[in-house]
Amino acid sequence: MPDLVLDYANCLSDRIGDEGLDPAHLEASLSAVAEHGEELDAMRAAGETAYRDLPFDPARSAHTKAIRRLVDDCAGTYDTLIVLGIGGSALGNIALQNALNPVTYNLLPDGIRPGPRLFVVDNVDPMLLGDILDFAETVDPGLSRTLVNVISKSGETAETAAQFITMRDVLINSLGDNAHRNIIAITDPSRGTMRSIVDAEGYRNLPVPDGVGGRFSVLSPVGLFSAAMCGIDIEALLDGAASMDAPCSRRDMTSNPAAMLAFLLIEFTKRGKPNHVLMPYCNALYSLADWYRQIWAESLGKQVDRQGNEVFAGATPIKALGTTDQHSQVQLYREGPNDKVIGFVDVRKLPRDLTIPTGLDVENLKYLQGVSFTTLLAAEKRATEYALVESKRPNFTITFPTLDAYYVGQFIALWEIATSYAGLMLNINAYDQPAVELGKQATFGLMGRPGYEEFNTKVADTLGPSDRVIPRNG
Amino acid sequence: MPDLVLDYANCLSDRIGDEGLDPAHLEASLSAVAEHGEELDAMRAAGETAYRDLPFDPARSAHTKAIRRLVDDCAGTYDTLIVLGIGGSALGNIALQNALNPVTYNLLPDGIRPGPRLFVVDNVDPMLLGDILDFAETVDPGLSRTLVNVISKSGETAETAAQFITMRDVLINSLGDNAHRNIIAITDPSRGTMRSIVDAEGYRNLPVPDGVGGRFSVLSPVGLFSAAMCGIDIEALLDGAASMDAPCSRRDMTSNPAAMLAFLLIEFTKRGKPNHVLMPYCNALYSLADWYRQIWAESLGKQVDRQGNEVFAGATPIKALGTTDQHSQVQLYREGPNDKVIGFVDVRKLPRDLTIPTGLDVENLKYLQGVSFTTLLAAEKRATEYALVESKRPNFTITFPTLDAYYVGQFIALWEIATSYAGLMLNINAYDQPAVELGKQATFGLMGRPGYEEFNTKVADTLGPSDRVIPRNG
């Protein structure tokens, strides 16, 4: 089976002049990158990158068997699946669904749809949850055919906890003593607040594996259960991810797509191009750009390096969509500050095509008639690539041979491992998120949670009343 | 009626130290901004900012009457509305729909839904159009209750033309001689390729007004027709936009929200913070961030200034969503490079709230119980604001008194006029998009359109075959 292809010719100085990387510099960096490979292997052996083991046994079989058992158990029982989670407990789920099921999935009638309708509620916006709840109650007044899947390692994430407490209550009001049967939890297998609730209430459950951080967890039960419920081939996803392991372990960067991707992006970051656009030419892949936004931003955005020196490292991931954003962002990408690297994603052969019919007798539009949509899409992408090169803007392309679960698995593994390389290249810890803590504590303070009172005062002291307001009486 | 409120206290040095703007500098800039106001007035008088007249008569009455007539004409006739457009002919339509109708709108049964299902097809991805077409044909096999709304000023935009030729053919195959009745065009009222087609085929149609560029056209028939079809109060939208005109015309920047917004963002751009995040704490407002991405990127991203000097001006608009992106981007926003300004958007009183119920006997989660979702959402936003200020990251907040069409209209006018100010502050032409041309010509060349053959060669010469590929045989 062919692999994803990374073409980075448009990053080099022979294409884009001084704005590009000198091929000699690339040569000269080979040994350093090989050393990062050694270090990654050592980290893996020490269990510090447990995400890499997810596509392999024993983790893989344990997870897929448990998931399969639950999915079989649920077969034919539910028309609506509501996932409660946020960040790494939602972005992967959304990305898999949008990549591998039609955009009209939720609209398809029962029976045609390969699984329950899927809603991923990744916010505490009451209109979002309220509208979804209204809809669920309209199509399923007793909620007996509505399944809630709460995903939280600790159970303490405020947003997920708030959604969970609300949905649990709604189910109890509808289903009484049977409510627990309509909740499936994905949480820590042995400890934490959600674990206690699961044990006390008797929910069916799946594990968030040890040592796998939220943003690296999509190929665990966190991302795979909802995918499997909606008919996605999770074995193919894992096969694809597994197949990227050996290429991304090669010591020679010129044959290791993860090392090359990381090297290019971190080199450009150091040279004043810290804005990293991911721009699929395929609507289905657009949500994968949101998943990428998290893994790239949260892993690499770090104030201190591994020795504790202040570095304010990081790169800003930006999502864009081709051709759509040719009519929105490309003007800026070509003529604005040269501070970006554009990462195209395209698909060589989409599972479906349409031909633009002939028969409209308008001279100016004859050139489109009888041509396929994929031909036009490919021409638009190539034209944009050309226009960026003309403006000396670095860009690369990741090509999917086709759009299926196997290649989505490859894409996920590619970026996960690239993130690990990038962390070493920046000399930062890519696996923590210390800056998120202060906001959580301040939220607790503002919400009156015992033990966090000091933050209430701190927030008031820092933000105070503002007189910098328009209108002033607003 | 209260207005949108802009609070910019967290942009100033008394809050965030040297990373912020000195209030004295703000004082010192008042006269320059007042001069930009004079210039804007002169431009308006010369008809160079025709978008500003859209909420006022005679344009307003002419448009709303024509729209109302068509909407009445369509009442009860269509269950599905498919909009064909891209860029400024799609982003505003999507933003209005998502802001003002429930996230489940398309799922609601006929009769409960206040208008037809809405699909905005803003790409030439065959899976996107194919899936939507399949769905339309499933629920409406003869397509007699499916309305296509094609939006293109010239009719020559390749993506929209391709979709249109395809959908026109599908309708002819289903409806024969009546197909033209199921197409409504929004196009140039007097010239162009689409105008000729409209006249030849007898479509009902609405005008793209003269002098209003695509990204400034949402409050014209371009954005308003699909909104009105879906039950959105377009008079309230226009009332809101009209109400921002006087405040945004004030000479005193400290009482002019558009001038202040532009001044802050352009000052920060000049000081190494050219990344401008718009982060609504409200799912419904998230698509407005896509609309903002276009107007900010395409208007300000310019290689040359008004005197023709190379400046590579511009700022990179970035969309984010609270609270969701607290678990994805805020780590980077706090600890990464200090190159961003974060623009929060919140809603004082959402039209709907939910209360987190009591009754889950878990000590750690007691603090959430009995509290409303909007209280939690507000606490999360304030905590994030606090955390950013602690990290000396500039941020501001635009507050909607509530979420309705009036304030969405205010928000749109605010950013449109801010864009005009920002263009003057950067001394660039904010109303053209010269860099988009090359990609269009190259697409024509690659598609074999007569007259563009040279671009086929140019693309091949520039991009050539690549040997920078992993895997090499890929």
Side-chain angles (χ1 to χ4, degrees):
Chain A
M1 192 127 47
D3 288 331
L4 291 190
V5 177
L6 170 66
D7 184 339
Y8 58 96
N10 297 337
C11 287
L12 300 182
S13 53
D14 43 18
R15 285 269 170 97
I16 56 168
D18 287 350
E19 299 289 341
L21 301 180
D22 185 340
H25 174 67
L26 211 128
E27 282 297 316
S29 306
L30 289 175
S31 64
V33 175
E35 278 172 35
H36 292 314
E38 304 278 351
E39 190 173 358
L40 268 193
D41 278 1
M43 289 171 69
R44 185 179 197 168
E48 293 170 33
T49 56
Y51 76 86
R52 291 193 66 176
D53 302 327
L54 294 173
F56 300 102
D57 284 339
R60 174 173 175 159
S61 295
H63 296 153
T64 53
K65 270 185 202 149
I67 290 166
R68 183 57 51 203
R69 202 176 310 124
L70 268 190
V71 170
D72 288 348
D73 206 30
C74 293
T77 310
Y78 302 105
D79 301 322
T80 302
L81 170 60
I82 300 177
V83 170
L84 310 179
I86 197 163
S89 299
L91 292 168
N93 307 66
I94 296 169
L96 295 180
Q97 175 71 1
N98 291 350
L100 297 165
N101 271 322
V103 66
T104 50
Y105 177 90
N106 273 358
L107 285 161
L108 299 176
D110 298 338
I112 293 181
R113 216 178 40 236
R117 290 176 209 93
L118 177 66
F119 297 98
V120 181
V121 186
D122 62 346
N123 204 354
V124 282
D125 179 335
M127 297 178 69
L128 176 72
L129 184 57
D131 287 342
I132 290 169
L133 203 47
D134 282 354
F135 171 74
E137 288 177 328
T138 303
V139 292
D140 176 23
L143 293 180
S144 63
R145 298 186 63 80
T146 299
L147 181 66
V148 170
N149 173 210
V150 58
I151 309 178
S152 179
K153 186 169 168 63
S154 68
E156 302 240 355
T157 303
E159 293 89 343
T160 308
Q163 295 163 353
F164 166 71
I165 298 170
T166 306
M167 286 304 301
R168 173 183 170 274
D169 189 69
V170 167
L171 290 174
I172 289 172
N173 288 339
S174 282
L175 299 166
D177 288 348
N178 290 326
H180 68 281
R181 297 172 49 87
N182 289 44
I183 297 176
I184 288 180
I186 302 179
T187 188
D188 192 290
S190 59
R191 69 188 81 84
T193 297
M194 183 55 72
R195 185 76 247 165
S196 321
I197 299 171
V198 166
D199 292 344
E201 310 223 333
Y203 303 150
R204 290 173 290 177
N205 61 90
L206 292 164
V208 177
D210 267 347
V212 176
R215 59 187 176 271
F216 291 92
S217 70
V218 56
L219 297 177
S220 81
V222 169
L224 297 180
F225 172 68
S226 62
M229 285 291 290
C230 297
I232 290 169
D233 183 349
I234 64 171
E235 296 290 354
L237 272 170
L238 291 164
D239 285 345
S243 75
M244 280 307 262
D245 200 77
C248 295
S249 301
R250 289 182 191 132
R251 291 292 178 269
D252 175 11
M253 172 166 68
T254 63
S255 62
N256 178 330
M260 181 60 81
L261 203 48
F263 177 78
L264 295 171
L265 288 170
I266 300 309
E267 283 299 300
F268 278 121
T269 300
K270 292 174 181 169
R271 294 160 183 237
K273 303 188 200 309
N275 291 338
H276 300 169
V277 176
L278 196 68
M279 186 168 180
Y281 271 68
C282 173
N283 282 62
L285 294 174
Y286 192 35
S287 300
L288 268 167
D290 270 324
W291 171 85
Y292 148 81
R293 275 174 79 230
Q294 184 192 23
I295 203 164
W296 207 243
E298 209 167 46
S299 301
L300 306 182
K302 296 294 154 70
Q303 181 165 347
V304 297
D305 68 13
R306 292 192 288 173
Q307 286 71 46
N309 306 305
E310 278 210 337
V311 290
F312 297 104
T316 300
I318 296 172
K319 63 186 277 201
L321 177 65
T323 66
T324 308
D325 280 321
Q326 292 174 206
H327 301 267
S328 164
Q329 302 301 299
V330 167
Q331 168 66 34
L332 172 73
Y333 294 173
R334 287 195 66 209
E335 291 202 355
N338 198 335
D339 59 3
K340 297 177 186 63
V341 188
I342 316 296
F344 295 111
V345 184
D346 63 8
V347 181
R348 182 151 305 158
K349 190 168 165 39
L350 284 168
R352 167 181 203 162
D353 202 358
L354 291 174
T355 298
I356 307 169
T358 54
L360 180 67
D361 192 19
V362 173
E363 199 50 42
N364 287 353
L365 302 179
K366 286 284 183 210
Y367 76 100
L368 289 167
Q369 300 183 39
V371 178
S372 74
F373 269 53
T374 53
T375 301
L376 175 57
L377 197 61
E380 298 262 8
K381 186 264 177 184
R382 195 162 164 80
T384 303
E385 197 187 331
Y386 160 72
L388 287 173
V389 168
E390 286 295 309
S391 299
K392 308 204 179 309
R393 309 293 162 133
N395 62 87
F396 62 86
T397 297
I398 299 171
T399 299
F400 281 57
T402 186
L403 176 56
D404 66 16
Y406 182 85
Y407 293 113
V408 169
Q410 283 203 340
F411 185 85
I412 288 169
L414 171 64
W415 278 103
E416 287 179 340
I417 303 172
T419 302
S420 287
Y421 275 101
L424 294 180
M425 290 168 185
L426 288 170
N427 186 33
I428 52 90
N429 180 349
Y431 309 97
D432 63 357
Q433 52 283 331
V436 177
E437 207 47 40
L438 186 64
K440 284 188 188 174
Q441 292 169 330
T443 299
F444 292 154
L446 293 171
M447 293 291 289
R449 183 173 177 176
Y452 294 87
E453 293 78 2
E454 61 175 310
F455 288 98
N456 213 337
T457 319
K458 283 182 177 174
V459 171
D461 287 351
T462 300
L463 299 183
S466 166
D467 62 348
R468 298 292 183 168
V469 167
I470 304 173
R472 280 192 202 273
N473 58 357
Chain B
M1 192 129 45
D3 286 332
L4 292 189
V5 177
L6 169 65
D7 185 339
Y8 58 97
N10 297 336
C11 286
L12 300 182
S13 54
D14 43 18
R15 284 268 169 98
I16 56 168
D18 287 349
E19 299 288 342
L21 301 181
D22 186 338
H25 174 67
L26 212 128
E27 282 296 317
S29 305
L30 290 176
S31 64
V33 175
E35 279 171 35
H36 292 315
E38 305 277 351
E39 190 172 359
L40 269 194
D41 278 1
M43 290 170 70
R44 185 179 197 170
E48 293 170 33
T49 56
Y51 76 85
R52 290 192 69 175
D53 302 326
L54 295 173
F56 300 101
D57 285 340
R60 174 174 175 160
S61 294
H63 295 152
T64 54
K65 269 185 203 150
I67 291 167
R68 183 56 52 203
R69 202 177 309 124
L70 267 190
V71 171
D72 288 348
D73 205 32
C74 293
T77 311
Y78 302 106
D79 300 324
T80 301
L81 170 61
I82 300 178
V83 170
L84 310 179
I86 197 162
S89 300
L91 292 167
N93 306 65
I94 297 168
L96 295 180
Q97 174 72 358
N98 291 349
L100 297 167
N101 271 322
V103 67
T104 51
Y105 177 89
N106 273 359
L107 286 160
L108 299 177
D110 297 338
I112 293 182
R113 216 178 39 238
R117 292 175 207 93
L118 177 66
F119 298 98
V120 180
V121 186
D122 61 346
N123 204 353
V124 283
D125 179 336
M127 298 178 70
L128 176 72
L129 183 57
D131 288 342
I132 290 169
L133 204 46
D134 281 355
F135 171 74
E137 288 176 330
T138 302
V139 293
D140 177 24
L143 294 180
S144 63
R145 298 186 62 79
T146 298
L147 180 66
V148 169
N149 173 210
V150 59
I151 309 179
S152 178
K153 186 168 169 61
S154 68
E156 302 240 357
T157 303
E159 295 89 342
T160 307
Q163 297 162 353
F164 166 71
I165 297 170
T166 306
M167 287 304 301
R168 172 182 170 276
D169 189 69
V170 167
L171 289 174
I172 289 173
N173 289 338
S174 283
L175 300 167
D177 288 348
N178 290 324
H180 69 280
R181 297 173 48 87
N182 289 45
I183 297 176
I184 288 180
I186 303 179
T187 190
D188 192 292
S190 58
R191 70 188 81 85
T193 297
M194 182 55 73
R195 184 77 248 164
S196 321
I197 299 171
V198 167
D199 292 342
E201 309 223 335
Y203 303 151
R204 290 173 287 177
N205 63 89
L206 292 165
V208 177
D210 265 347
V212 176
R215 58 187 178 272
F216 291 92
S217 69
V218 55
L219 298 178
S220 81
V222 169
L224 297 180
F225 173 67
S226 63
M229 284 292 290
C230 296
I232 290 170
D233 183 348
I234 63 171
E235 296 290 354
L237 272 170
L238 291 165
D239 284 345
S243 75
M244 281 306 262
D245 200 78
C248 295
S249 301
R250 289 181 191 131
R251 290 290 178 268
D252 175 13
M253 172 166 68
T254 63
S255 62
N256 177 332
M260 180 61 80
L261 204 49
F263 177 78
L264 295 170
L265 288 170
I266 300 310
E267 282 298 300
F268 279 122
T269 299
K270 292 175 182 170
R271 294 162 182 235
K273 302 189 202 309
N275 290 338
H276 300 169
V277 177
L278 196 68
M279 186 171 181
Y281 271 69
C282 175
N283 282 61
L285 294 174
Y286 192 35
S287 299
L288 268 168
D290 271 323
W291 171 85
Y292 149 81
R293 275 174 80 231
Q294 184 193 22
I295 202 164
W296 207 242
E298 209 166 47
S299 301
L300 306 183
K302 297 292 154 72
Q303 181 164 345
V304 296
D305 67 14
R306 291 192 288 173
Q307 286 72 44
N309 306 305
E310 277 211 338
V311 290
F312 296 105
T316 299
I318 296 172
K319 62 186 275 199
L321 177 65
T323 67
T324 307
D325 280 321
Q326 292 175 204
H327 301 266
S328 166
Q329 302 302 300
V330 167
Q331 168 67 33
L332 172 73
Y333 294 174
R334 286 195 66 209
E335 291 201 356
N338 198 335
D339 60 4
K340 297 176 186 65
V341 187
I342 316 295
F344 295 111
V345 183
D346 64 7
V347 182
R348 183 151 302 157
K349 190 167 166 40
L350 284 168
R352 168 180 201 163
D353 202 357
L354 291 174
T355 298
I356 307 168
T358 54
L360 179 68
D361 192 18
V362 173
E363 199 51 42
N364 287 354
L365 302 180
K366 286 285 184 210
Y367 77 99
L368 289 168
Q369 300 184 38
V371 177
S372 74
F373 269 52
T374 52
T375 302
L376 175 58
L377 197 62
E380 298 262 9
K381 186 265 175 180
R382 195 163 163 81
T384 302
E385 196 187 332
Y386 161 72
L388 287 173
V389 168
E390 285 296 308
S391 298
K392 310 204 178 306
R393 309 293 163 134
N395 63 87
F396 62 86
T397 298
I398 298 170
T399 299
F400 281 58
T402 187
L403 176 57
D404 65 16
Y406 182 84
Y407 293 114
V408 169
Q410 283 204 340
F411 185 85
I412 287 169
L414 171 64
W415 279 104
E416 287 179 339
I417 303 172
T419 301
S420 286
Y421 275 101
L424 294 181
M425 290 168 184
L426 287 170
N427 186 32
I428 51 93
N429 179 349
Y431 309 96
D432 63 357
Q433 52 282 332
V436 177
E437 206 47 41
L438 187 64
K440 284 188 187 174
Q441 293 169 329
T443 299
F444 293 153
L446 293 171
M447 293 291 288
R449 181 173 177 177
Y452 295 87
E453 294 79 1
E454 62 174 308
F455 288 98
N456 213 340
T457 319
K458 282 182 177 173
V459 171
D461 287 350
T462 300
L463 299 182
S466 166
D467 62 348
R468 298 292 183 168
V469 166
I470 303 173
R472 279 191 202 272
N473 58 358

